[in-house]
Amino acid sequence: MIQLVSFYIFASIVIASAAMVIFARNPVHSVLWLIVAFFNAAGLMVLIGAEFIAMLLVIVYVGAVAVLFLFVVMMLDIDFAELRAGFIKNVPLGLLLAIVLVAELVLGIGAYQAGAVQLGTPEAGVATVSPTVPNIEAIGALLYSKYVFLFETAGLILLVAMVGAIVLTHRRSHNTRGQNISSQVQRRPEDATRNVNQPVGQGIEL
């Protein structure tokens, strides 16, 4: 019974928060609603016994949302003074949301301890994993045995993408003048500074 109640609660909040991501006028509020949607989607994954996917949702997607938040702050002209002005006014709502999230966490843990939701039985002749093997161990064994070459190929593609992003970021423009390390090292002190006996009461010659 607790699994069914948890499913409807998590699913309803996912749908509602996803709608708020679209309809929220403030981009910061949209990102916060997106984080709520990811957390509740992770709760749904926990209900079906896929704790590895739930962990990926929280670590990868919520972590990526933090980077998205930084991009929003950098690209948009957000008046944080105006946001702070309404902080005290929104404290009760924030406390209410915190209590709801804690209650969801307790409910999800209770539903997980009660047992995973039975989605169905595998067909005859299909290889199954022992119920005693954790999901993370089963996924690791599958990735590093049957799909090891595809997994390594995906890693190489991500590595090439990272190197390409670094190269594009540090690419020198043709219109800018770069540093010449050898000329800087060979520069003499008398070429860089000039000692002037400046008379008192007169200006400085630039």
Side-chain angles (χ1 to χ4, degrees):
M1 182 63 183
I2 187 174
Q3 295 97 331
L4 186 61
V5 174
S6 302
F7 170 78
Y8 281 114
I9 291 177
F10 288 141
S12 301
I13 297 179
V14 166
I15 296 173
S17 57
M20 291 302 300
V21 171
I22 300 173
F23 292 108
R25 294 179 178 271
N26 194 322
V28 178
H29 295 168
S30 295
V31 173
L32 295 178
W33 283 115
L34 190 60
I35 292 175
V36 174
F38 284 144
F39 269 110
N40 287 274
L44 291 175
M45 294 298 106
V46 171
L47 286 179
I48 62 175
E51 66 273 5
F52 180 71
I53 300 178
M55 181 180 66
L56 287 181
L57 278 172
V58 174
I59 296 176
V60 177
Y61 284 92
V62 175
V65 165
V67 178
L68 176 63
F69 177 82
L70 294 178
F71 274 105
V72 169
V73 171
M74 288 187 294
M75 290 187 299
L76 299 180
D77 187 12
I78 300 175
D79 188 3
F80 284 96
E82 182 180 353
L83 293 178
R84 295 191 191 98
F87 176 76
I88 301 299
K89 181 180 65 176
N90 296 324
V91 166
L93 179 60
L95 292 176
L96 179 62
L97 289 176
I99 294 173
V100 170
L101 290 177
V102 172
E104 288 182 356
L105 181 62
V106 174
L107 184 62
I109 294 175
Y112 178 74
Q113 292 177 351
V117 178
Q118 299 296 328
L119 298 180
T121 56
E123 298 178 359
V126 178
T128 59
V129 181
S130 174
T132 59
V133 178
N135 288 333
I136 300 177
E137 183 178 347
I139 292 175
L142 191 63
L143 283 178
Y144 289 101
S145 59
K146 183 178 181 180
Y147 299 104
V148 60
F149 294 109
L150 295 177
F151 184 70
E152 292 180 353
T153 303
L156 289 176
I157 293 174
L158 293 175
L159 177 62
V160 172
M162 181 180 67
V163 172
I166 295 174
V167 170
L168 291 176
T169 303
H170 293 278
R171 184 175 58 182
R172 183 181 301 175
S173 178
H174 298 288
N175 299 326
T176 58
R177 184 177 179 182
Q179 291 183 347
N180 192 340
I181 305 300
S182 61
S183 62
Q184 293 179 2
V185 173
Q186 296 173 3
R187 190 174 186 181
R188 299 177 302 172
E190 53 269 21
D191 296 334
T193 60
R194 183 172 57 129
N195 296 326
V196 178
N197 186 10
Q198 183 66 28
V200 179
Q202 297 184 8
I204 299 176
E205 179 185 356
L206 297 178

